[in-house]
Amino acid sequence: RFILNRANMKYVLVVTVIILFLSSFCFGQKDEWKEFTSKGSKFSINFPAIPQESKTKMPDGGNRYIFSVRESKRLLAVQVSDLTKTSGPLNEAALSVFYTIARQGGLDALKGSKLISETDIRLKGLLGRDYTIGNDETVMMRRVFMTEDRLYLISVTVPKTQEKDAGVAETLAKFFNSFHLLTASPGF
């Protein structure tokens, strides 16, 4: 039989503090997203883990950077492509062309896919595009923004069987809504 007295209260308090500490350590970090900032690519976004980074040289001389995290069967990624001076002036017509090319690139990359939805969006006045593509096995949700010197592709790719899961909707909201440009952008 356990009798609660002053000596036992200290024991109970210590055990409770240890249990709370360990449970917050073990379970609290599972869903802890952290802000990732790429000063060179001029953006920040929240990832569920530290992203892997890769860099490739593009045919026009610019660089392409990919920051990605694979989370179970989900892939979260930000692709940033440097634009060269030959890219031309930045206006709504040019943006529409670039966004169409970006969408087609996604369709080509995801074999047998089709466009599910597409909507114009804005990020602090900057015109962007939100689209979803998919095939029988995979769905890719993507947001595209272009500044005078960079093209940003923010993507979440999931198995088609997880497309409607509440966890996917929560991941999309956390990921997409946390994206910020570090420099002012012209509003088109």
Side-chain angles (χ1 to χ4, degrees):
R1 183 170 171 200
F2 184 78
I3 299 173
L4 189 60
N5 58 32
R6 183 170 248 150
N8 290 340
M9 284 181 62
K10 286 181 183 177
Y11 173 77
V12 170
L13 180 63
V14 169
V15 170
T16 302
V17 168
I18 290 171
I19 290 171
L20 289 173
F21 174 75
L22 291 176
S23 66
S24 69
F25 180 75
C26 293
F27 302 110
Q29 291 187 8
K30 182 180 179 191
D31 196 35
E32 190 172 314
W33 288 53
K34 296 204 186 272
E35 183 178 45
F36 170 79
T37 299
S38 173
K39 290 183 180 172
S41 294
K42 302 178 183 175
F43 77 92
S44 70
I45 194 164
N46 294 341
F47 275 104
I50 297 171
Q52 293 182 352
E53 300 179 35
S54 65
K55 174 183 170 184
T56 55
K57 198 67 140 168
M58 296 179 6
D60 66 359
N63 292 311
R64 175 179 297 141
Y65 305 90
I66 298 176
F67 307 89
S68 63
V69 168
R70 183 164 295 281
E71 178 190 60
S72 181
K73 294 181 179 182
R74 301 174 189 174
L75 176 64
L76 293 81
V78 177
Q79 177 180 312
V80 182
S81 300
D82 292 336
L83 301 175
T84 61
K85 300 281 185 215
T86 59
S87 299
L90 186 62
N91 56 41
E92 283 204 33
L95 288 173
S96 181
V97 169
F98 273 101
Y99 295 157
T100 299
I101 292 169
R103 180 194 65 227
Q104 189 58 48
L107 287 164
D108 293 344
L110 196 58
K111 302 295 181 215
S113 63
K114 63 181 180 180
L115 182 65
I116 297 170
S117 66
E118 183 173 26
T119 298
D120 285 344
I121 56 174
R122 293 211 176 256
L123 176 69
K124 293 188 177 178
L126 180 65
L127 179 64
R129 181 108 10 114
D130 181 289
Y131 62 89
T132 300
I133 60 175
N135 60 23
D136 292 339
E137 299 173 4
T138 307
V139 177
M140 179 191 302
M141 286 77 45
R142 191 178 252 185
R143 287 190 176 174
V144 184
F145 298 100
M146 184 175 158
T147 64
E148 292 177 353
D149 58 349
R150 288 185 175 76
L151 179 68
Y152 297 89
L153 297 159
I154 305 100
S155 306
V156 175
T157 306
V158 300
K160 187 153 183 85
T161 57
Q162 293 182 3
E163 177 185 17
K164 304 289 185 200
D165 288 359
V168 170
E170 184 179 336
T171 296
L172 284 171
K174 282 183 183 180
F175 192 58
F176 285 149
N177 295 337
S178 70
F179 180 76
H180 298 285
L181 296 173
L182 302 180
T183 58
S185 301
F188 291 101

